[in-house]
Amino acid sequence: MGPRPTGERRTAILGAAAGLFAERGYRGVSIDDLGRAVGTTGPALYRHFPGKQALLGEVLVDISDRLARQGRELVAEAASADGALEALLRGHIAFALDEPSLITVHDRELGNLTEPDRRRVRRLQRGYVEEWVGVLAVLRPGASPTVLRAAVHAVFGLLNSTPHSRGELPRPHMAELLLSMGRAALTSPDAAPPAV
C-alpha cells in the first residue's frame, strides 16, 4: 500500500465513498465503483487503502475526528457557556445539513467496520459528547452528567434526522428551526427529569 492520499484528493475519495455507501450500502459498492467515482480504477485505490473496509473505516473515523476536533475548538474559543452551546449547535447543524450521506453511512454501516476502527469511532464520539456535557453542566448545574448525556444524544437524534426529514424546507430555515429546537431541548428545565 502506498501513502495515504492527502488534501483535496483524500477529501474527494472519502466524499465519493460516503456518497456511494449511503446510496447503495457498503455491500452494494465495489472497489471498481469507488475508483470510477473518483476518476481512476478500483485497483488504483489499493495504493492508498488496503481495501473497501479500510476505506469505510477511514470515512467514519475521519468524520468522528473532525466533529471531535471541531467541538474542542468551538468550546475553547467561546466566551461563555451560552456561546459555546450556540457554536456547538450551529456546527453540528451545518454537518447534518451539508453532509447527510455521512449520517446515513454511520447509521447503517458502523457494524461493517473492523473492531479497531469501531473502537476509534466510539472513543472520538464519546469525547465529542463530553464537550457538550461540559458546556451543559455550566448551564444546568443541577442536572446529573447522566441526564445531560442523554439529552445530548437525544438532540443528536433530532439534528441527525435531517437526511430523512428536511423535505422542501430551505436550508437557512431548517438550520434556524433546528437551532431553536436543539437549544430548547438542551436548556429547558422542563425538558429533563430531576437529577438522578
Side-chain angles (χ1 to χ4, degrees):
M1 182 177 81
R4 287 174 49 181
T6 58
E8 290 180 20
R9 184 67 173 155
R10 179 177 184 275
T11 301
I13 292 170
L14 296 182
L20 286 172
F21 291 147
E23 180 185 332
R24 301 183 200 167
Y26 171 74
R27 299 196 188 285
V29 176
S30 71
I31 198 75
D32 289 328
D33 295 331
L34 292 164
R36 275 192 300 276
V38 293
T40 189
T41 65
L45 290 179
Y46 289 124
R47 290 194 301 255
H48 306 296
F49 301 97
K52 187 172 76 166
Q53 188 177 37
L55 185 49
L56 174 65
E58 191 74 15
V59 166
L60 293 180
V61 169
D62 177 73
I63 188 52
S64 299
D65 182 57
R66 282 194 287 142
L67 285 171
R69 189 171 55 249
Q70 173 184 280
R72 288 190 303 271
E73 291 169 0
L74 291 173
V75 171
E77 293 167 2
S80 66
D82 283 324
L85 180 59
E86 172 106 0
L88 286 168
L89 281 164
R90 286 192 182 278
H92 198 95
I93 289 164
F95 156 67
L97 292 177
D98 297 340
E99 303 190 67
S101 61
L102 289 170
I103 294 170
T104 300
V105 172
H106 180 275
D107 286 349
R108 288 197 319 218
E109 309 298 350
L110 191 64
N112 285 312
L113 293 180
T114 64
E115 188 56 35
D117 280 344
R118 191 167 29 250
R119 281 196 305 271
R120 285 178 66 201
V121 166
R122 292 296 192 205
R123 179 181 49 79
L124 289 163
Q125 289 174 339
R126 281 192 301 273
Y128 182 55
V129 167
E130 290 309 308
E131 290 294 337
W132 290 69
V133 170
V135 168
L136 290 175
V138 174
L139 296 172
R140 297 178 54 194
S144 76
T146 301
V147 167
L148 297 178
R149 273 185 212 98
V152 169
H153 282 288
V155 166
F156 286 173
L158 166 72
L159 302 180
N160 291 347
S161 73
T162 57
H164 316 291
S165 64
R166 181 171 166 194
E168 301 289 319
L169 206 55
R171 187 196 186 286
H173 190 156
M174 188 67 175
E176 290 306 310
L177 177 63
L178 291 170
L179 179 65
S180 64
M181 292 175 71
R183 185 186 298 118
L186 291 171
T187 60
S188 171
D190 298 328
V196 292

